[in-house]
Amino acid sequence: MKHVPLSILDLAPVSSNADTSEALRNTTELARRAEAWGYQRFWVAEHHNMPAIASSSPAVLLAHLAAMTRTIRVGSGGVMLPNHAPLVVAEQFGTLESLHPGRIDLGIGRAPGTDQRTALALRRTMQGLSAEDFPAELTELIAMLAGDPTRPQAVPTAAGLPQVWLLGSSDFSARLAGLLGLPFSFAHHFSAASTEPALAVYRQSFRPSQWLDEPYAMVAVSATCADTDEYAEYLAKPGWLAFLRLRAGAPIRLPTPEEAAAYQFSPAERAFVEQRRIGQALGSPATVAGQLSELLGRTGADELMLTNQVYELADRLRSYQLIAELSERPAVGPAGSLCLTL
């Protein structure tokens, strides 16, 4: 069985009976617990104009999370580059790396993480919203982080660089990550059917770089674990319903498990949910262990990043703790965090 580190991707979910302040406090508590359990890294995702997600400002949230933890790597999963000028991102993450050297990850994505109207409000112009502009802006950002004297200087300039990752859910970013020699994180929880083809493209196109001698692929997977298979599915349903509402253009805060259980899914909605379930790790510890092992066997991932949208903090913590308890911790990871081994 392949041994890999486990990490967490969090969206600071906002429950229907709570507010964003509570959501951010819950994310902070989860980061603390993740460090204690031995997870490798803790990332937050950039999304906008979504009432169920409070992680709209990754750099701000990461400064807080890094200050509230000591050893776990913290990072963006990701910063959506079309929404920002490269210099601003270089300054933000140069500041974070200066404050918390050796602990900062900069995961970069090329989607806006929102609807087109909100994306325009963020960037104030249509320029930079095209996928064709992304490679040039990414190259500019990396050059600024590295202190290229031909570019405007990003100040503060850290002694070291944040670890730069490229994120994706298709082969576009997979190929670009390979050509640039960057570590690559694939959004299996968004696009399960595309995972293996994209990872093959990444590995085939990989060129050694200052970042990596060999390809390093992380797979982000939705994982909800509970004492029984039935209770895990009960906990997962609010996330499915919230995503359905988002896709329908009527986003809501995360509903209660009771509300989600009572919801009458139409045949089309049920088919959509069943499609979303493909590739998820969902169930008791034994069930989840088998599902994650199967995913590793198929993808050859070097690291797994777990994410979920569970309503109650206690259930969310319990899910990640149960998965941590499946694992051994025999080695020290490259960033000093303990590696969890399935």
Side-chain angles (χ1 to χ4, degrees):
M1 185 180 296
K2 182 171 181 177
H3 304 307
V4 301
L6 296 180
S7 296
I8 292 175
L9 170 66
D10 195 62
L11 278 65
V14 185
S15 300
S16 59
N17 69 343
D19 58 19
T20 53
S21 293
E22 182 172 340
L24 295 172
R25 287 194 298 270
N26 290 345
T27 288
T28 303
E29 181 61 19
L30 176 57
R32 289 195 191 110
R33 299 288 190 95
E35 180 175 72
W37 292 325
Y39 281 90
Q40 176 94 336
R41 63 188 90 236
F42 189 93
W43 283 7
V44 294
E46 177 185 348
H47 292 282
H48 300 278
N49 196 29
M50 297 182 188
I53 298 174
S55 56
S56 59
S57 300
V60 177
L61 182 52
L62 291 175
H64 172 70
L65 296 176
M68 299 301 290
T69 54
R70 295 175 51 249
T71 59
I72 193 168
R73 295 192 67 92
V74 297
S76 58
V79 164
M80 299 297 127
L81 192 54
N83 300 336
H84 311 282
L87 178 58
V88 172
V89 178
E91 289 173 339
Q92 290 173 342
F93 280 79
T95 300
L96 287 168
E97 181 66 24
S98 296
L99 291 169
H100 306 282
R103 292 183 56 207
I104 303 301
D105 296 334
L106 171 55
I108 296 291
R110 71 183 181 96
T114 189
D115 58 274
Q116 192 75 358
R117 178 170 169 266
T118 306
L120 180 58
L122 286 162
R123 195 65 184 256
R124 309 299 297 172
T125 172
M126 291 304 292
Q127 184 178 355
L129 298 180
S130 163
E132 287 74 19
D133 297 325
F134 179 74
E137 294 208 332
L138 176 63
T139 301
E140 184 178 10
L141 168 59
I142 292 173
M144 288 175 175
L145 284 170
D148 183 342
T150 67
R151 313 276 180 154
Q153 297 302 292
V155 181
T157 301
L161 294 176
Q163 190 175 101
V164 180
W165 289 71
L166 201 54
L167 281 56
S169 57
S170 70
D171 61 4
F172 180 95
S173 292
R175 182 172 289 104
L176 182 58
L179 293 175
L180 294 177
L182 293 172
F184 178 58
S185 178
F186 187 82
H188 180 76
H189 58 307
F190 283 168
S191 186
S194 302
T195 304
E196 291 167 74
L199 293 182
V201 168
Y202 170 60
R203 291 167 178 140
Q204 291 163 6
S205 60
F206 184 83
R207 298 175 182 174
S209 69
Q210 70 181 95
W211 314 100
L212 290 173
D213 294 325
E214 298 179 345
Y216 190 93
M218 178 161 63
V219 172
V221 55
S222 178
T224 304
C225 190
D227 292 321
T228 66
D229 290 353
E230 294 76 17
Y231 194 59
E233 179 157 340
Y234 176 73
L235 295 179
K237 283 182 178 179
W240 301 341
L241 181 54
F243 193 77
L244 275 173
R245 289 285 193 241
L246 178 65
R247 281 297 179 93
I252 57 172
R253 291 184 176 184
L254 202 62
T256 67
E258 294 80 8
E259 290 169 336
Y263 182 78
Q264 297 298 309
F265 290 88
S266 71
E269 289 173 334
R270 185 160 297 281
F272 179 80
V273 167
E274 289 301 319
Q275 186 64 31
R276 286 276 296 173
R277 287 185 61 167
I278 295 174
Q280 291 187 7
L282 177 65
S284 68
T287 300
V288 167
Q291 292 165 338
L292 293 181
S293 295
E294 190 273 338
L295 178 63
L296 284 174
R298 286 192 295 106
T299 64
D302 300 293
E303 187 169 340
L304 292 180
M305 178 161 273
L306 313 178
T307 188
N308 66 41
Q309 290 281 82
V310 171
Y311 185 82
E312 293 286 355
L313 176 62
D315 290 322
R316 203 155 131 232
L317 295 175
R318 176 71 172 158
S319 177
Y320 288 118
Q321 183 178 9
L322 287 172
I323 296 173
E325 289 172 352
L326 293 171
S327 312
E328 301 171 6
R329 302 198 289 182
V332 175
S337 298
L338 290 170
C339 284
L340 298 171
T341 308
L342 288 173

